Amino acid sequence: MSTVSQAIAELRARARRTVLAVPGSSVKMIGKARGLEVDEVFLDLEDAVAGPAKEEARQNVVDALLGGGFAAPTVVVRVNAWDTEYTVRDVTEVVGRAGAHLDALLLPKVRTADEVVALDLVLTQVEKAAGLPEGHIGIEPQIEDALGLTNIDAIATASPRVLTLVFGPADFMASLGMRTLTVGEQPEGYTPGDAYHHVLMTILVAARAHGIQAIDGPYLKVRDEEGFRRAAGRTAALGYDGKWVLHPAQVDAGNEVFSPRQEEFDKAEGILAAYAHSTSVEGGARGAVMYGDEMLDEASRKMALVVSARGRAAGMTVSETAGEDR
């Protein structure tokens, strides 16, 4: 894999606690999405848009990108999958006309690394033709079936543009023949345990092995905040970076669940400061130090770095009362 550009490295580091899905066919919903405090918004040309509305949706998306005004720092477009007739035109028209206002393309139903490579090649040609910086638009592959999961490592490393691995639960459940009609909930009869655990961990491990983010898919009961928090809490506990949201009612909960609690962030920052001091010459160059009633070492520092990085990406700062009881 070739060297990652500075632009892609910066995109990989951005927070993605909440990723808002918006149908490209709805000008009204695109307008509402502009003001929502999510980390990423993607304008959808795929499953949320019926076949006869694809071309109009593509125009809506171009207009929306050119119009700008999104509160979300990261703006993405989900193109159609390679098994349709729409993919190339999605890329050439959206990137060719509005690529300067676009951070990434979300590629659905990725089954092999070749599909990511193909998108990379098309993107490069369109960027050159449009006079855009080559390689500045990222790719977010979406894993939606058993074959895609089997090829996860090859997909993650297929292009230096890859920013995240995204779980697509609905298509995945269908591909396995899972006996449920409620996306995001456990199938009836599968108790105790989590029917998605293997899939989620496989995606997460591949993402971490290759330095990219892991994003959970949607919870379709959009007005069931308790259910959303339960589903989001499971993947946040595993280490996922964020989750799709489908409705404004899910935004605040998603941002909260995928951010460290203030006390966690304060503790992580305290651990990093204490360990940095203890390992310095001034602090005695010690490899371990007590922090309250805990013994810290290099592994503790690495764990604290994860929490600190997520908190800082979410705009958190250390509270004024932090460390008073230390």
Side-chain angles (χ1 to χ4, degrees):
M1 187 170 69
S2 60
T3 304
V4 175
S5 70
Q6 183 176 351
I8 294 298
E10 189 274 330
L11 284 172
R12 286 183 178 180
R14 291 186 185 179
R16 288 177 177 82
R17 299 166 300 170
T18 44
V19 178
L20 177 67
V22 185
S25 54
S26 175
V27 173
K28 180 179 179 180
M29 293 182 74
I30 292 173
K32 288 184 176 180
R34 281 190 165 89
L36 293 179
E37 298 294 329
V38 293
D39 291 330
E40 177 174 306
V41 59
F42 77 83
L43 307 178
D44 194 11
L45 295 175
E46 199 224 4
D47 280 355
V49 180
K54 295 286 188 185
E55 291 197 16
E56 182 181 357
R58 198 182 288 131
Q59 181 63 52
N60 292 342
V61 166
V62 169
D63 291 343
L65 292 173
L66 293 175
F70 290 96
T74 303
V75 180
V76 175
V77 171
R78 180 163 72 164
V79 297
N80 285 276
W82 279 116
D83 61 356
T84 72
E85 66 271 35
Y86 306 111
T87 318
V88 171
R89 286 190 62 195
D90 287 345
V91 178
T92 56
E93 293 191 25
V94 171
V95 177
R97 297 169 61 194
H101 309 278
L102 180 67
D103 294 305
L105 294 179
L106 175 58
L107 181 63
K109 299 177 176 62
V110 177
R111 308 182 78 204
T112 68
D114 291 343
E115 297 176 32
V116 178
V117 172
L119 181 58
D120 187 324
L121 291 171
V122 175
L123 261 175
T124 299
Q125 290 198 356
V126 178
E127 286 170 338
K128 288 179 178 179
L132 298 169
E134 187 177 333
H136 83 291
I137 294 174
I139 296 174
E140 300 193 10
Q142 190 173 10
I143 308 302
E144 302 191 69
D145 71 3
L147 184 57
L149 191 70
T150 301
N151 292 323
I152 190 77
D153 283 298
I155 290 168
T157 57
S159 165
R161 296 178 187 264
V162 174
L163 307 174
T164 69
L165 293 173
V166 182
F167 178 42
D171 281 276
F172 204 101
M173 292 155 62
S175 81
L176 296 185
M178 192 174 286
R179 295 177 61 183
T180 180
L181 293 173
T182 304
V183 177
E185 284 288 4
Q186 299 297 311
E188 185 178 355
Y190 194 89
T191 55
D194 184 346
Y196 309 104
H197 184 74
H198 170 72
V199 179
L200 291 167
M201 282 301 293
T202 301
I203 292 172
L204 178 63
V205 169
R208 292 295 178 260
H210 303 297
I212 57 182
Q213 293 193 24
I215 307 299
D216 190 17
Y219 183 82
L220 266 60
K221 292 183 177 180
V222 295
R223 291 182 174 81
D224 181 1
E225 183 177 329
E226 181 181 348
F228 175 84
R229 284 181 176 273
R230 183 174 62 250
R234 284 198 298 265
T235 48
L238 290 179
Y240 269 65
D241 298 283
K243 184 173 179 63
W244 283 13
V245 292
L246 304 179
H247 190 274
Q250 296 178 333
V251 172
D252 289 344
N255 284 335
E256 179 185 331
V257 170
F258 286 96
S259 296
R261 295 191 300 273
Q262 185 65 50
E263 57 268 28
E264 290 176 325
F265 180 73
D266 290 345
K267 180 177 179 179
E269 292 289 300
I271 287 172
L272 293 173
Y275 191 71
H277 176 72
S278 74
T279 54
S280 68
V281 173
E282 295 80 4
R286 294 170 292 157
V289 63
M290 290 300 296
Y291 184 76
D293 60 356
E294 297 181 49
M295 178 66 75
L296 306 182
D297 59 11
E298 175 63 14
S300 306
R301 184 188 73 86
K302 291 176 181 176
M303 294 168 66
L305 280 172
V306 172
V307 177
S308 173
R310 287 185 174 171
R312 290 182 179 275
M316 297 179 71
T317 58
V318 176
S319 65
E320 294 182 1
T321 59
E324 289 183 353
D325 59 343
R326 297 289 176 185

